Amino acid sequence: MLIEYKKMFKNKNFYLSFCALLLVVVIAVLIGVKEHKEEYLLTERLFNQRYEKPIVDDVLNFVSPHKQWLGFTNNFPSDLYYFLYPLLISIALVDSLYRERKSGYQHFIFMRMDRRKYYTAKFATTFLTAFFMFVLPLCFGVVLVNLFTNHWDYTAYANIYKRFVDGTLAIPDNALSVFKGDIQPLFSDLLSMSPYAYVAVFYIIGGLFASAYVAMGLALSMFIKNYYLIIFMPQIFYTSIWFLAANNPKWVPFYFLAPEGIHGDNSISIMIIEFLLQIFITFVIYLIGMKKHEDVL
């Protein structure tokens, strides 16, 4: 795998892909921080005129900066990240088998390395790298939001969220209706502990799906001869699920991977089933591809 990473770090597409992901994150953060400041000032002004300080403080705790972390906020760049990540990551990783087959490098490497080790290292490197390419920019976004808002401790939000879910929080009815959407259908207990714990689980799940999509693209590249089609295959597959499950959004990764929890019927069992099915199909395609190219010297 060390050899694979050395080759990857020499590939300019890797840096192009990672910079594109970071750029989307930075834009989403800048927009989100601006929106947070505006919402906080507006809420503070409205409630200060009508309620006592303890109630105002409780309401303002709901206007938490963590809601501007990517996946929590619904601004356009954040949605764009969750929509285009298969393509942006694929630019760096999915064509490695294609390039080495076309350049004749595989002939050279198979004289020095067992082909099974080669294909195993290629798959493992692609899977792990795709995971971190998805997760690390999102973690960077968390740091940026916290840095720009000077807010790192979310204990107050976690406590008030728990009271809100339990029905023991006394705040005005108009505030209750506004913040009702904060109640998450999945992993709500983690949000009661800390937004960090909650978002970490979703970022990890998202990273695993990103790895699965890119790995499938790698497997399909053993059959496809067009470079651009290879690059777009993970995005095509990801988007196709969206169209095929248009009437059942709980099966659409774009909806259930984001921490925001757009649909109340999100299910961890659906996530597991869809992920395992995709990995199984990817392995089958990859093994067939290995068999197809076993005559390469």
Side-chain angles (χ1 to χ4, degrees), residues 2-297:
L2 182 60
I3 296 175
E4 293 300 323
Y5 278 113
K6 286 181 178 179
K7 289 187 289 186
M8 183 181 66
F9 290 137
K10 292 180 180 179
N11 182 6
K12 64 180 181 180
N13 283 346
F14 171 76
Y15 299 99
L16 175 65
S17 178
F18 199 68
C19 286
L21 291 165
L22 287 176
L23 179 62
V24 176
V25 168
V26 170
I27 295 172
V29 167
L30 293 176
I31 294 174
V33 169
K34 179 177 180 292
E35 291 178 349
H36 164 73
K37 291 179 179 178
E38 292 173 352
E39 182 183 2
Y40 189 93
L41 292 174
L42 178 61
T43 304
E44 184 179 38
R45 185 168 64 253
L46 290 175
F47 282 85
N48 266 334
Q49 296 172 356
R50 303 177 59 185
Y51 301 101
E52 297 178 355
K53 189 176 186 304
I55 293 179
V56 175
D57 289 343
D58 283 344
V59 171
L60 288 177
N61 279 327
F62 273 109
V63 190
S64 174
H66 84 270
K67 294 180 182 180
Q68 304 305 327
W69 296 346
L70 270 79
F72 265 112
T73 180
N74 60 357
N75 66 44
F76 177 72
S78 177
D79 289 343
L80 187 66
Y81 188 96
Y82 275 87
F83 180 67
L84 286 182
Y85 74 84
L87 173 62
L88 295 179
I89 297 175
S90 295
I91 292 172
L93 301 172
V94 81
D95 65 328
S96 58
L97 281 174
Y98 170 82
R99 285 186 289 105
E100 292 178 5
R101 184 174 68 247
K102 188 174 182 180
S103 67
Y105 178 79
Q106 283 186 347
H107 293 274
F108 169 75
I109 201 68
F110 287 157
M111 290 188 294
R112 306 182 60 185
M113 176 189 294
D114 179 76
R115 68 178 62 243
R116 289 186 179 180
K117 289 184 178 180
Y118 168 80
Y119 284 118
T120 300
K122 185 70 70 176
F123 189 93
T125 302
T126 300
F127 193 92
L128 289 174
T129 305
F131 176 86
F132 286 109
M133 286 187 71
F134 177 87
V135 171
L136 290 180
L138 293 175
C139 293
F140 180 62
V142 169
V143 173
L144 282 183
V145 170
N146 292 354
L147 188 65
F148 290 152
T149 60
N150 194 29
H151 194 115
W152 300 87
D153 185 1
Y154 292 94
T155 305
Y157 177 84
N159 291 336
I160 203 168
Y161 176 81
K162 187 176 188 304
R163 291 163 54 201
F164 187 42
V165 173
D166 293 341
T168 59
L169 181 65
I171 59 174
D173 290 340
N174 57 343
L176 285 173
S177 61
V178 171
F179 297 116
K180 187 177 180 180
D182 275 41
I183 299 179
Q184 298 297 336
L186 199 61
F187 305 123
S188 184
D189 290 344
L190 289 177
L191 193 53
S192 297
M193 294 169 52
S194 170
Y196 289 117
Y198 178 80
V199 82
V201 170
F202 273 95
Y203 283 178
I204 289 171
I205 293 173
L208 291 173
F209 270 86
S211 297
Y213 285 117
V214 176
M216 178 170 282
L218 182 74
L220 290 171
S221 73
M222 302 171 81
F223 302 90
I224 300 172
K225 296 182 179 181
N226 184 283
Y227 169 79
Y228 294 102
L229 184 57
I230 290 172
I231 296 297
F232 275 92
M233 278 310 299
Q235 186 68 44
I236 292 171
F237 184 74
Y238 178 71
T239 309
S240 297
I241 296 175
W242 193 345
F243 286 106
L244 292 173
N247 296 323
N248 292 284
K250 62 184 179 180
W251 288 94
V252 179
F254 176 79
Y255 293 127
F256 67 61
L257 292 181
E260 184 185 15
I262 299 174
H263 294 280
D265 54 357
N266 283 354
S267 167
I268 185 64
S269 60
I270 288 177
M271 294 181 183
I272 293 173
I273 291 170
E274 194 162 325
F275 175 76
L276 292 179
L277 182 61
Q278 186 171 330
I279 287 295
F280 174 75
I281 294 173
T282 298
F283 275 131
V284 171
I285 295 173
Y286 200 70
L287 291 173
I288 294 173
M290 290 172 57
K291 183 72 174 177
K292 180 177 185 290
H293 292 284
E294 66 180 359
D295 58 337
V296 178
L297 296 177

